[in-house]
Amino acid sequence: MKKLLPILITLLLAPALGLAQPSGSHASASAGSSESRPAPDAILRMGIKDLQSFLGSGQAGNQEDLIGLIRARIAPQFDIQALAEWSGGYWYQQMNPEQKKAFTTKLAKSFFSSLAEIVGGYAGKQPEVRFMPPRRINEKEVDVSARVYQSNNYPIDVRFSFHKSPRGWKIFDVSTNGISAVSYYRKMFNQRARQGGLEALF
């Protein structure tokens, strides 16, 4: 897990993404189509402002509040199903529906539990964030990049990969200095499955 920490540290940009959305935008069909919802770069820009307030408020040091924030605000902004499918790769395709559900649940728990630990360690700190122009991959995919300047450390280049879903723009991968979360997990899962078979992934 330590090798994944640089990736998870960059996810500090994500906790307030949900705060940047109009109330109920993902809750019901009455909120309108995904076309009327915030663009990926707007979501991140607004989210960063809210996140910096969160980190400076003292709430980040409260584990209960932090877990509640992650459940309510972070998790809905990620397409965990896509993350599980792409990181599982070949092995995911070999799973039956019950196994896919168990695999996705375990991945989400690991992903967001690690995130909670990282976010909690940043209470009171205010990293500077500079955004790059968003890059459209195609009609349904957009990359939003930013450079995070930490005190007494080298800057970190972060890329959030969004894709358009019926529920609006969702993050399906995050890369730090060129290291992708999907690629990291895929390598890890391949090693586990080769050593212990498919059951080693649950």
Side-chain angles (χ1 to χ4, degrees):
M1 183 59 67
K2 290 182 179 179
K3 293 181 180 180
L4 188 57
L5 292 184
I7 292 176
L8 293 175
I9 287 174
T10 66
L11 291 177
L12 286 172
L13 299 175
L17 295 183
L19 300 175
Q21 300 176 12
S23 177
S25 64
H26 287 230
S28 68
S30 63
S33 69
S34 60
E35 295 293 340
S36 65
R37 295 170 185 151
D41 57 324
I43 292 174
L44 285 179
R45 287 178 183 275
M46 291 185 290
I48 289 299
K49 182 177 179 180
D50 288 326
L51 172 59
Q52 290 175 330
S53 296
F54 173 79
L55 290 175
S57 68
Q59 288 179 292
N62 185 306
Q63 189 69 10
E64 185 175 341
D65 287 347
L66 183 55
I67 292 174
L69 175 70
I70 289 174
R71 289 177 177 173
R73 301 297 190 181
I74 301 178
Q77 308 314 313
F78 285 81
D79 190 340
I80 293 296
Q81 182 64 44
L83 177 61
E85 182 175 354
W86 293 332
S87 62
Y90 166 81
W91 303 103
Y92 186 87
Q93 301 305 320
Q94 308 310 306
M95 300 175 191
N96 60 40
E98 292 75 18
Q99 290 173 324
K100 289 179 179 179
K101 182 178 180 180
F103 175 75
T104 302
T105 298
K106 184 175 182 179
L107 174 61
K109 182 178 180 180
S110 172
F111 192 82
F112 292 116
S113 293
S114 297
L115 176 57
E117 295 178 7
I118 297 299
V119 173
Y122 269 67
K125 299 181 181 180
Q126 299 289 329
E128 178 187 357
V129 181
R130 297 180 186 176
F131 291 93
M132 311 298 177
R135 184 168 70 96
R136 182 174 293 276
I137 307 303
N138 53 49
E139 288 301 314
K140 293 187 177 182
E141 291 188 20
V142 173
D143 283 348
V144 181
S145 298
R147 179 162 290 178
V148 182
Y149 293 85
Q150 304 178 96
S151 59
N152 302 321
N153 209 335
Y154 292 106
I156 299 175
D157 290 326
V158 188
R159 185 180 75 243
F160 288 85
S161 296
F162 287 80
H163 72 158
K164 187 183 293 184
S165 77
R167 296 175 295 127
W169 291 98
K170 297 292 182 182
I171 301 169
F172 68 89
D173 194 14
V174 182
S175 299
T176 306
N177 292 337
I179 302 174
S180 160
V182 167
S183 296
Y184 170 86
Y185 276 116
R186 179 175 293 177
K187 181 178 180 179
M188 181 178 71
F189 294 144
N190 277 336
Q191 292 176 339
R192 289 184 180 178
R194 288 169 180 167
Q195 294 174 357
L198 191 62
E199 292 299 321
L201 301 182
F202 308 117

